[in-house]
Amino acid sequence: MGNRFQVRDRFAAGAQFIGGRLRPGTSGRTQAVTDPATGEVVHTYELAGTADVDDAVAAARAAFPAWSAATPGERSDALHRLAAVLTEEAADFAYAESLQCGKPIRLATEFDVPGTIDNTAFFAGAARHLDGVSAGEYSADHTSYVRREALGVVGSIAPWNYPLQMAAWKILPAVAAGNTIVLKPAEITPLTALMFAQAAQRAGLPDGVINIVSGAGRDAGERLVAHPDVVMTSFTGSTPVGKRVAEIAAATVTRLHLELGGKAPFLVLDDADLEAAVHGAVAGALINGGQDCTAATRAYVQRPLYDAFVSGVAALMETVRLGDPADPATDLGPLITHAHRDRVAAVVDRARGYARVVTGGEAPGGAFQDGAYYRPTLIAGAPQDSEAVQAEIFGPVLVVLPFDSDDEGLALANDTPYGLAASVWSRDVYRAGRATREIQAGCVWVNDHIPIISEMPHGGYKASGFGKDMSAYSFEEYTQIKHVMFDNTAVARKDWHRTIFGDRP
């Protein structure tokens, strides 16, 4: 894969995009963007400080009156142009995403980038359909209707695992609804969020509508959430950090959307297509190196299929090709950092004391020793209450447990603080239907695991947060509902006034 642009040249002016231009941060500290496959520093930039956040919010606030007053058609046209720019620059986006994340270029090219383009095209259309309830006389003497209005300046915080897609998920519904936004990407993966904002500028979105502050959570992130001119915060990340965001937002009664951690169950009933379940488990567990809050992490397999499932998954995992993310033949790249790889390895190493590591469970050496690589790992025999089953590992690790009855399998699937996603595998429509009703998760797939589409909502139950990304449902997060009521009688003295004035003439 050729270097389509030099990162240092592209962002030489800085990694803060405020009011339509790049500039350096003012925190006095720098941050390296590192290629996880080699450990090589590909760019160093000045982190945002609180003053940069204030400037970005001011730019967004200044842009809000005109952008919110634009017609739905005007906002739609701008997003259609953005989709076209993203399509033209798809190869550059895939290259940058692979470089900063260690994501295999095949995944970036076939999943991350086209998914983002599709999401942009969806919201370009959805911008024209911000409907309220049609007018009607719900009181005999009045006509009511509902307005759906933009909120103002949105402050969003996105994670490092899908930097481009998460930036789009935050930005698109916000601006389609007429809001302006300040987005803080993860400081270790800011490149594609900055590129997205630049693409929006080339598509003709006004300066200040989309602003990017690349800074640390404790400085830029906390200031953004606490800022008095930010009316809504959307956060995607871990549940512990989400709790901190909620604490800060509560102090200013800031509207909040949280998409947090997950520990998705993969429930295989005894009438399932075993081959399909095995392939689905490996794909669902290893996508993005398992660094996906909807990844398959807990496989519960009904006992008649258990042994065959374990052997089948182990055999297929052993064929997965680790390699250079730039090589289209690579299946699995490195994890995001060496420190994160070591945390994943530590969970697996502790699991050896109470479970069996069937395959994997190690960092490869040789040609991979400089990267943050970890082999696909299958763990069997772990107790339900163990760390490997209950904690979010966020790596290429699948834990498999047996169960007997459907009742037991469903109970085990729900036995977690999280509730973001799940899947059930069965040929019986009634058994599968029961599972979709009883599993406590925001998305339940039947005979598949992972696919997402722009038209359907994404968000969780329980400790996985609340609110929705994607789809028209996301507008519930980014709009304010206003009831307008007109008197139709032209009568000065209304009957209900008697409750206040009595029988006075």
Side-chain angles (χ1 to χ4, degrees):
M1 178 177 58
N3 190 338
R4 295 179 178 84
F5 61 87
Q6 293 291 332
V7 172
R8 290 182 175 89
D9 294 341
R10 178 75 175 256
F11 302 111
Q16 318 303 325
F17 188 81
I18 298 172
R21 68 180 183 90
L22 288 173
R23 69 184 217 189
T26 61
S27 70
R29 294 181 291 115
T30 59
Q31 173 69 47
V33 178
T34 303
D35 179 353
T38 63
E40 175 189 357
V41 174
V42 299
H43 186 52
T44 302
Y45 69 91
E46 297 84 1
L47 284 162
T50 56
D52 302 304
V53 174
D54 292 347
D55 288 349
V57 172
R61 187 178 181 188
F64 175 73
W67 182 247
S68 61
T71 66
E74 289 168 338
R75 292 197 294 268
S76 174
D77 288 347
L79 293 179
H80 277 300
R81 293 193 300 270
L82 174 56
V85 173
L86 296 174
T87 300
E88 292 170 3
E89 301 179 2
D92 282 352
F93 274 97
Y95 167 76
E97 194 78 336
S98 177
L99 183 67
Q100 67 180 351
C101 298
K103 198 183 297 278
I105 191 62
R106 195 168 73 238
L107 181 66
T109 301
E110 298 180 14
F111 181 74
D112 296 75
V113 175
T116 299
I117 295 169
D118 182 76
N119 212 233
T120 306
F122 169 80
F123 278 105
R128 289 180 177 266
H129 298 284
L130 283 164
D131 299 327
V133 177
S134 60
E137 285 68 46
Y138 299 95
S139 155
D141 295 336
H142 304 84
T143 294
S144 289
Y145 68 87
V146 168
R147 290 178 54 86
R148 188 182 289 274
E149 299 179 345
L151 300 172
V153 178
V154 172
S156 290
I157 301 174
W160 50 257
N161 57 334
Y162 290 102
L164 175 60
Q165 291 204 78
M166 294 297 100
W169 286 17
K170 301 301 181 192
I171 291 169
L172 291 168
V175 302
N179 303 286
T180 55
I181 189 168
V182 179
L183 172 76
K184 192 199 87 65
E187 62 268 31
I188 59 175
T189 55
L191 303 183
T192 47
L194 291 164
M195 291 169 63
F196 190 92
Q198 291 176 313
Q201 184 182 50
R202 286 192 288 278
L205 273 77
D207 292 347
V209 171
I210 299 172
N211 306 273
I212 309 294
V213 288
S214 305
R218 290 193 178 276
D219 300 325
E222 295 203 0
R223 175 57 180 167
L224 182 60
V225 177
H227 199 289
D229 291 332
V230 169
V231 298
M232 182 263 187
T233 294
S234 178
F235 171 81
T236 295
S238 71
T239 296
V241 178
K243 291 178 179 178
R244 174 59 181 158
V245 169
E247 290 173 359
I248 298 170
T252 53
V253 199
T254 299
R255 191 166 177 163
L256 193 59
H257 163 225
L258 298 175
E259 197 265 86
L260 307 177
K263 190 70 176 176
F266 187 99
L267 186 65
V268 183
L269 304 182
D270 58 13
D271 66 338
D273 181 327
L274 179 62
E275 181 183 13
V278 165
H279 282 79
V282 174
L286 300 186
I287 187 170
N288 205 40
Q291 299 166 129
D292 186 315
C293 46
T294 65
T297 58
R298 299 179 292 138
Y300 296 101
V301 184
Q302 209 151 21
R303 207 169 294 275
L305 296 184
Y306 179 77
D307 290 338
F309 180 89
V310 170
S311 61
V313 167
L316 188 55
M317 278 187 169
E318 289 165 4
T319 71
V320 171
R321 294 173 299 221
L322 277 68
D324 180 354
D327 184 349
T330 293
D331 297 323
L332 190 67
L335 299 183
I336 187 66
T337 63
H338 288 79
H340 181 63
R341 190 271 313 276
D342 292 345
R343 285 192 290 271
V344 171
V347 174
V348 175
D349 288 343
R350 289 191 291 270
R352 297 180 198 278
Y354 55 77
R356 176 170 64 100
V357 176
V358 181
T359 189
E362 63 180 2
F368 301 107
Q369 63 184 1
D370 293 333
Y373 288 88
Y374 197 75
R375 293 195 185 281
T377 300
L378 179 65
I379 298 174
Q384 174 67 11
D385 62 355
S386 64
E387 177 189 30
V389 176
Q390 293 294 330
E392 188 174 32
I393 302 173
F394 226 56
V397 181
L398 177 65
V399 184
V400 58
L401 297 85
F403 69 92
D404 292 304
S405 68
D406 288 18
D407 287 349
E408 181 189 8
L410 290 167
L412 291 170
N414 285 329
D415 182 25
T416 174
Y418 300 107
L420 187 58
S423 64
V424 57
W425 298 73
S426 173
R427 290 185 174 97
D428 187 318
V429 65
Y430 298 105
R431 297 174 79 191
R434 178 193 175 191
T436 65
R437 294 189 300 273
E438 295 188 13
I439 290 177
Q440 299 161 359
C443 175
V444 181
W445 294 284
V446 179
N447 295 326
D448 209 343
H449 195 106
I450 284 298
I452 54 175
I453 51 176
S454 297
E455 292 82 359
M456 288 291 111
H458 176 84
Y461 286 31
K462 302 189 291 187
S464 291
F466 47 82
K468 299 298 179 184
D469 287 308
M470 298 202 301
S471 83
Y473 290 97
S474 65
F475 286 137
E476 302 302 323
E477 317 305 326
Y478 295 100
T479 56
Q480 181 67 268
I481 300 301
K482 177 185 288 183
H483 172 216
V484 178
M485 180 178 260
F486 282 87
D487 171 61
N488 294 330
T489 66
V491 173
R493 299 181 181 182
K494 298 181 170 52
D495 286 345
W496 73 267
H497 292 177
R498 296 177 60 254
T499 63
I500 310 300
F501 303 120
D503 293 325
R504 270 173 275 171

